[in-house]
Amino acid sequence: MRLLTSLHSTPGRQSLVERVAALSRERFAERASEYDAASRFPRENYDDLRDAGLLAMAVPKKYGGLGVDPLTYALCVLEMAKGCSATALTFNMHSTVLTLIDMMATEDQKRRYFAEVVEEGKLFASITSEPESSFRDKYVMRTAFIPIEGGYQVKGVKHFCSIGDSADYFFLSGMLEGHTTSKEGILSAVMPRGTPGVQVESEWNATGMRGTASHTIRYDSPVSQDDVVGAPGALLSVDLSGFALGYAATYLGIAEAAFDFIVEYSKGRSSAVGSRPLDEDMLTLKTIGEMGTSIRAARLMMYDAALAKSEGEGDATMLAVNQAKYLCAEVGADVTERAMRMAGGRGFLKSMPLERWHRDSLAGPVMPPVNERCMETAGRLLCGLRAATLEFK
């Protein structure tokens, strides 16, 4: 593990993380329960992010964006998650699309799309998952790109479409008609939200992460050749590890929020009349010690993964990111559950944020790469075998 003493040494990094933390603490946190209860996208939070110029965090500096490094990015997402889990998760998906555009798009496309983010605060959604397909194994893409004059007709259904109908653009992928393997036929495009034939088929109504508005959306829509990003198969040649690092930061942020809450709650209970002083409550102190140690370990793992990604170490980055995503997601679920138990019956009340944080944390282990796949990938790499975070058929 790299030394923690060097992690906050960059003034620009610390300043940006503190800006995000203040926004999350002062604005996002007070709205989070409303978004959860109504299963409503956090538009007001995104208005704040837009006004602060933070939607361009993943846009390279040469195009007017912030162009932050992986560690700065992970720390910012972590702070967002402390205030609103859904905002952090969807922000990571928006930023992932911007990274893919930077790696795959033409120079003209980069200038066009990045300018819309920097100057207008446009929001991009990553639309990949499909019903009856799973990233636990080789992913089978059923959405079809059918050639038409001037571009393609895109036909298919995508689910878990986070940012749903609130995004300005959808980044979606499918198979070019006539091809059966992703290596030759997977194609990606950016589709404007107002494109004819885009229809929300099923509204998002989930246990947790309710504010992500991850609707199921059906497409039978034209896409211009000018909006096709990369050649067939290009998606398989780019580094997809960034999205998993953002997931790690999100679920670690949830864990830290729950931990901070329950520590203060325990202090308050120990001062109540008839309660045992905290310094004499060995079980509570032991539990807090265990939770804090798990969080520290996960944070170190996230730091290491971010720094490995900055160094571009290939398999070393893949290993570190998969391990970090696994551990942060597991710690998120474990710490939030333990915090609820420590709070007792009150932990189940909607007046406390603990049950919401726990419900949100449950999404972590099953988000791609699912935790079982993370460990399989790590095992393959540790044995010197070929591995991939995600595989398409």
Side-chain angles (χ1 to χ4, degrees), residues 149-171:
E149 184 177 354
Y152 300 89
Q153 188 75 12
V154 179
K155 293 187 176 184
V157 178
K158 300 286 188 180
H159 66 170
F160 301 122
C161 300
S162 296
I163 318 180
D165 55 357
S166 296
D168 298 291
Y169 290 101
F170 302 115
F171 182 95

Side-chain angles (χ1 to χ4, degrees), residues 241-310:
S241 63
F243 79 99
L245 178 63
Y247 289 164
T250 297
Y251 293 102
L252 179 57
I254 296 171
E256 291 194 9
F259 178 76
D260 292 343
F261 180 92
I262 201 62
V263 168
E264 292 304 312
Y265 182 77
S266 297
K267 291 178 182 177
R269 292 189 67 180
S270 71
S271 63
V273 176
S275 296
R276 178 185 299 180
L278 184 59
D279 62 0
E280 296 179 8
D281 191 340
M282 297 300 107
L283 179 59
T284 296
L285 292 171
K286 172 180 176 293
T287 304
I288 289 174
E290 291 171 346
M291 294 162 69
T293 300
S294 295
I295 288 172
R296 182 180 176 86
R299 189 175 260 257
L300 284 166
M301 189 74 78
M302 185 194 75
Y303 286 154
D304 191 61
L307 294 175
K309 184 167 173 56
S310 292

